[in-house]
Amino acid sequence: MQVYSIDGVTPVVDSTAFVHPTAILIGDVIVGPRCYVGPGASLRGDFGRLVLEEGANVQDTCVLHGFPGTDTVVEKDGHVGHGAVLHGCRVGRNALIGMNAVIMDGAVIGEESIVAACAFVKAAFSCERRSMVVGTPAKVIRALSDKEVAWKSAGTATYQELTVRCLNTMESVEALTEVEADRPRLKVGEVKPKYQTDT
């Protein structure tokens, strides 16, 4: 990971968290236990504080930032999909932010909610727990079912397992020049895309 202090404030990364070597952490960033921070993520705590609580994940190329004096928080077991932008907002416990979604200043995403991919959540937006949030601008379209929350939780557990796998087995290597005859497949969880679980 690329870690920089600013004005004497240094990022904190729990020893049980995994932060990819290409991720950038600047200043007032706190990465809690069992968190995952993916390749190319930018956590810029040069104005406000950024907090990832236990078991949260922030995936590839996500951006976290905020105005001076604000907190941007991903609560316990929060799940932030590839390319999402969080700016001065709060993501509730066990909530999911979809790929390329944007969550603006002062927004509060209720616990166990799902924000759809590519949604634009306006400043000061808030929603109740277990909300399905969709659109540009985003709005709540319905409540989530127990089955949907269980699907989300299983996906987050897979990222918590990935944290352990990365800490234990990821290493920098040279690429092979051809595919092996008996090339193994990765043996990981069985979480499926949501469209395959809608029955």
Side-chain angles (χ1 to χ4, degrees):
M1 73 189 97
Q2 302 171 66
V3 180
Y4 303 90
S5 68
I6 188 167
D7 297 334
V9 180
T10 301
V12 177
V13 177
D14 188 90
S15 62
T16 62
F18 174 78
V19 180
H20 191 273
T22 62
I24 299 173
L25 279 56
I26 300 171
D28 197 359
V29 177
I30 301 168
V31 178
R34 303 186 314 115
C35 289
Y36 173 89
V37 178
S42 175
L43 282 65
R44 245 184 72 207
D46 49 12
F47 288 166
R49 176 168 292 172
L50 312 178
V51 179
L52 304 184
E53 294 184 357
E54 182 176 359
N57 69 75
V58 171
Q59 299 171 20
D60 322 48
T61 71
C62 288
V63 174
L64 276 65
H65 195 241
F67 279 101
T70 63
D71 290 354
T72 302
V73 179
V74 181
E75 294 182 8
K76 183 176 179 181
D77 298 332
H79 188 109
V80 183
H82 316 289
V85 177
L86 307 184
H87 204 276
C89 59
R90 177 173 286 269
V91 175
R93 182 187 62 79
N94 202 32
L96 181 151
I97 306 302
M99 294 180 272
N100 288 312
V102 176
I103 317 296
M104 293 299 293
D105 304 276
V108 178
I109 305 303
E111 67 179 66
E112 297 185 331
S113 292
I114 293 176
V115 176
C118 297
F120 177 77
V121 176
K122 297 195 302 188
F125 172 94
S126 67
C127 64
E128 300 293 326
R129 68 186 296 269
R130 290 196 168 196
S131 294
M132 174 64 84
V133 182
V134 176
T136 304
K139 63 183 180 180
V140 176
I141 61 166
R142 62 176 174 82
L144 293 174
S145 67
D146 290 346
K147 182 178 178 183
E148 289 169 318
V149 173
W151 170 82
K152 183 273 164 204
S153 297
T156 299
T158 300
Y159 267 88
Q160 292 164 346
E161 292 162 9
L162 177 60
T163 296
V164 175
R165 291 170 55 215
C166 289
L167 289 171
N168 290 337
T169 70
M170 184 179 281
E171 57 185 321
S172 180
V173 296
E174 294 292 323
L176 301 175
T177 57
E178 57 185 55
V179 177
E180 316 96 297
D182 58 349
R183 184 172 179 84
R185 292 192 74 93
L186 295 170
K187 293 180 175 134
V188 293
E190 297 183 7
V191 175
K192 295 184 176 167
K194 187 171 180 314
Y195 79 92
Q196 291 184 347
T197 67
D198 293 337
T199 55

